[in-house]
Amino acid sequence: HDKNAGRFTLWGIQLLARSPGFEINDLGRMQTADDINFNGDFILRDTKPHKTFRSYMVQFTSDAGWNFGGIRQYSSIGLNNSVTFSNFTRASFNFRYNFRSLSDGLTRGGPLMGTPRFINVNGSFNSRPNRPVTWSVNARHTDDELGGWSWTFGSTLSVRPGARWQASVDPSYTRSADARQYIATRPGGSAATFGNRYIFGFVDRSQLSARFRLNYAVTPDFTVEGYAEPFAASGKYSKLGELEAAKSRDLVQYGAAGTGTTITRMADSSFRVTDGNGSFTLANLDFNRLSFRSNLVLRWEWQPGSTAFLIWQNNRQRATPFGRSVNGGDLLDAIGAKGDNFLAMKVSYWIGVK
């Protein structure tokens, strides 16, 4: 139920339920079932222009989710703020606090596992939208009680030098650490985890990308559109361990004092874990991935609703298991990686019905 009209206050509440046996088959894609989701929000705003701003909004949010067994899978509260100034520039700042809960998906079908408290803050600033040159900047930070964190910085720049031209670039950089990244399930665990080992690791990630677009309208019905995106990502794993007990958020870290386990890095960079008389191997998951994707599209709408496309696409990629943090030079290396070229044609015809 929602209240969507009014100058100063809006509010809404929503409830969604998907039973454990719910299946949509070929109608679409569904990530999960067995969910009961609730969210509510209350908004204070003013849409009447003032001397220093045209509008502002303060939104209070709360959401939570359970499965049909009554297990709370997430819950959070948030505060979202935005203001549009008199010159039509816009700023926003958002804060969200997530409470501890239990996840039925972290162990990939195993026992419930505890999730940590964490906060998320993000902010952005956008220039006036109706100008030949527009831009925006944004930043996001998360931090959790287990030592996980992330920083993301991004920006956009769009230029229209003429009526026929449009160009844009969108660079983005992320550096993050996840203290509970699932790795594998192995037999031989304790009774506290029902006889299996649910193995997790601490992964330090970095990601850098930039999207470039350049469009030219030869005529109103015939356009040339170009797109290119170099991309680099890395991940390095450490502090491997297994879930201590069902419903716990703690790990038994391999090789730590008092655990009775040892962990050894082998010559091929895999890990050999010994626990008492048993042992097992975990593959090296460190990675550095580079990719470069580009395409050139000729679009011709020869009559209203009927369009032909001629598409050339180039995909390049390279992977090395180093786990080194990415840098700007990796984007240049991605452009020079080996790849494939594809040429495709698509035609659509509008059949009018009178």
Side-chain angles (χ1 to χ4, degrees):
H1 185 70
D2 296 280
K3 176 181 181 291
N4 292 320
R7 175 181 171 185
F8 293 110
T9 61
L10 304 175
W11 57 269
I13 54 174
Q14 295 86 35
L15 181 66
L16 169 69
R18 290 186 292 259
S19 69
F22 181 65
E23 172 60 65
I24 59 176
N25 293 318
D26 295 329
L27 292 177
R29 184 174 69 92
M30 184 178 68
Q31 291 184 333
T32 62
D34 191 14
D35 294 320
I36 302 173
N37 307 122
F38 169 83
N39 67 79
D41 66 290
F42 180 77
I43 298 175
L44 297 174
R45 69 173 187 174
D46 190 359
T47 57
K48 180 180 179 180
H50 291 258
K51 183 177 180 180
T52 58
F53 65 87
R54 301 191 62 85
S55 64
Y56 73 84
M57 182 197 73
V58 179
Q59 180 185 34
F60 304 89
T61 65
S62 175
D63 62 338
W66 298 264
N67 61 23
F68 275 69
I71 301 298
R72 181 168 56 86
Q73 300 178 89
Y74 65 87
S75 61
S76 68
I77 55 175
L79 177 65
N80 304 323
N81 308 271
S82 67
V83 57
T84 300
F85 298 100
S86 57
N87 62 355
F88 291 95
T89 59
R90 183 175 182 271
S92 67
F93 176 79
N94 307 313
F95 171 85
R96 181 166 295 277
Y97 180 87
N98 293 262
F99 298 91
R100 287 177 174 177
S101 59
L102 293 171
S103 171
D104 59 6
L106 279 177
T107 58
R108 310 304 195 266
L112 295 169
M113 183 174 178
T115 59
R117 294 186 296 259
F118 70 93
I119 62 170
N120 180 298
V121 293
N122 66 81
S124 65
F125 191 88
N126 298 71
S127 70
R128 183 170 178 165
N130 59 342
R131 292 291 181 87
V133 178
T134 61
W135 54 270
S136 69
V137 292
N138 62 83
R140 179 186 300 270
H141 175 63
T142 63
D143 203 333
D144 71 47
E145 63 177 311
L146 298 178
W149 55 270
S150 72
W151 280 100
T152 298
F153 301 95
S155 64
T156 64
L157 175 64
S158 181
V159 181
R160 297 184 65 93
R164 297 172 180 263
W165 291 93
Q166 182 176 10
S168 66
V169 58
D170 303 86
S172 176
Y173 177 73
T174 298
R175 184 69 187 273
S176 65
D178 187 346
R180 295 294 183 270
Q181 173 62 53
Y182 175 82
I183 294 177
T185 300
R186 294 284 190 270
S190 68
T193 52
F194 310 112
N196 283 326
R197 304 177 187 270
Y198 298 93
I199 302 169
F200 295 80
F202 184 99
V203 58
D204 188 337
R205 296 190 183 98
S206 61
Q207 179 178 305
L208 180 63
S209 66
R211 292 189 295 267
F212 298 87
R213 292 181 173 88
L214 179 63
N215 301 335
Y216 178 70
V218 181
T219 70
D221 302 323
F222 183 71
T223 61
V224 182
E225 303 171 6
Y227 171 86
E229 182 181 12
F231 173 88
S234 71
K236 186 172 181 61
Y237 285 78
S238 62
K239 301 178 183 178
L240 276 58
E242 62 187 67
L243 180 63
E244 184 178 63
K247 299 185 178 181
S248 173
R249 65 185 56 85
D250 297 324
L251 302 181
V252 177
Q253 184 176 328
Y254 297 140
T259 63
T261 63
T262 61
I263 182 169
T264 305
R265 196 80 182 241
M266 308 301 288
D268 61 356
S269 295
S270 64
F271 295 94
R272 187 68 175 175
V273 180
T274 301
D275 184 3
N277 294 325
S279 63
F280 56 92
T281 300
L282 297 172
N284 173 34
L285 298 176
D286 297 346
F287 65 89
N288 273 73
R289 299 189 183 276
L290 308 178
S291 73
F292 177 72
R293 295 187 177 184
S294 61
N295 58 56
L296 183 67
V297 179
L298 304 182
R299 179 184 180 274
W300 177 36
E301 188 175 5
W302 76 85
Q303 65 182 36
S306 300
T307 310
F309 301 88
L310 182 64
I311 306 158
W312 169 75
Q313 185 177 71
N314 177 247
N315 292 333
R316 300 171 181 268
Q317 58 184 346
R318 189 173 73 193
T320 54
F322 294 143
R324 172 186 54 81
S325 295
V326 299
N327 56 56
D330 290 324
L331 297 186
L332 297 177
D333 292 340
I335 297 174
K338 295 182 178 179
D340 301 304
N341 293 282
F342 301 90
L343 186 65
M345 185 174 182
K346 175 184 175 182
V347 178
S348 62
Y349 181 74
W350 174 260
I351 302 175
V353 179
K354 297 183 180 180

